[in-house]
């Protein structure tokens, strides 16, 4: 079921803080789907005064996925947790840049969730007129226990460097 409510400020759903919160608002959320928007300003992060490079779309998508995870957590009265962008398949930007003044609508739909916290997401960026600007499949990971995961990764690095 999709909720169309007055949502919290987008910063509440993310572990990021300004100026690295790139999205303006959550438009729609459900258990496996989210829609966010950003209206690009001349002083937006990564904007050269006129446009944002197309590759920044990957981060817009990743933050939209993060908003979904944060929305789910807050719906369950749990804290917002950090997640990781593991990779992307087939990121295709149909434009070389996004222009200041444009409002971008970013969608993220869950394709597959594994038991270990790994999730595959289909994402798009569209202009408000519906024009498809970019699309990708993202692989994201959210560990249940961040501290234990980071300690485990540090141990793996130490063991690998000892070889």
């Amino acid at each position: 079921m999709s909720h169309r409510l007055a949502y919290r400020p987008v910063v509440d759903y993310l572990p990021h803080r300004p100026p690295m919160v790139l999205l303006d608002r959550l438009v729609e959320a459900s258990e496996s789907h989210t829609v966010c928007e950003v209206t690009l300003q001349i002083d937006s992060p990564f904007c050269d005064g006129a446009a944002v490079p197309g590759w920044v779309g990957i981060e817009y998508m990743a933050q939209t996925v993060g908003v979904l995870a944060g929305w789910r957590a807050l719906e369950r009265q749990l804290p917002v947790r950090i997640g990781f962008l593991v990779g992307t398949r087939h990121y295709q930007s149909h434009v070389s840049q996004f222009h200041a003044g444009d409002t971008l609508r970013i969608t993220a739909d869950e394709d597959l969730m594994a038991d270990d916290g790994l999730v595959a997401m289909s994402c798009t960026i569209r202009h408000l007129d519906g024009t498809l600007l970019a699309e990708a499949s993202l692989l994201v990971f959210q560990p249940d226990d961040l501290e234990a995961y980071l300690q485990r990764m540090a141990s793996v690095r130490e063991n690998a460097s000892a070889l």
Side-chain angles (χ1 to χ4, degrees), residues 11-70:
V11 69
D12 290 354
Y13 299 106
L14 293 169
H16 304 66
R17 290 297 161 249
M20 288 312 298
V21 174
L22 303 185
L23 303 173
D24 291 337
R25 66 200 142 273
L26 172 58
V27 175
E28 182 179 331
S30 70
E31 205 48 41
S32 62
H33 168 82
T34 192
V35 179
C36 292
E37 289 180 348
V38 58
T39 300
L40 300 176
Q41 308 295 327
I42 59 171
D43 61 348
S44 292
F46 303 103
C47 188
D48 65 6
V52 173
W55 57 263
V56 176
I58 294 172
E59 183 61 19
Y60 294 145
M61 292 174 180
Q63 286 195 18
T64 298
V65 171
V67 167
L68 176 59

Side-chain angles (χ1 to χ4, degrees), residues 97-112:
Q97 54 192 7
F98 306 112
H99 299 282
D102 286 348
T103 298
L104 308 180
R105 180 165 278 186
I106 306 100
T107 63
D109 292 289
E110 187 178 288
D111 291 330
L112 176 68

Side-chain angles (χ1 to χ4, degrees), residues 64-144:
T64 298
V65 171
V67 167
L68 176 59
W71 178 84
R72 286 176 178 164
L74 293 176
E75 284 290 298
R76 293 173 176 87
Q77 299 181 349
L78 298 170
V80 172
R81 296 182 295 139
I82 193 168
F84 299 96
L85 174 61
V86 176
T88 181
R89 289 186 32 195
H90 309 295
Y91 179 75
Q92 185 174 18
S93 183
H94 303 289
V95 295
S96 61
Q97 54 192 7
F98 306 112
H99 299 282
D102 286 348
T103 298
L104 308 180
R105 180 165 278 186
I106 306 100
T107 63
D109 292 289
E110 187 178 288
D111 291 330
L112 176 68
M113 181 187 290
D115 289 338
D116 61 359
L118 208 54
V119 180
M121 303 289 296
S122 293
C123 301
T124 62
I125 300 174
R126 294 183 183 273
H127 192 277
L128 279 184
D129 68 8
T131 304
L132 180 63
L133 303 175
E135 56 193 314
S137 296
L138 301 186
L139 191 59
V140 296
F141 173 66
Q142 188 174 48
D144 287 329

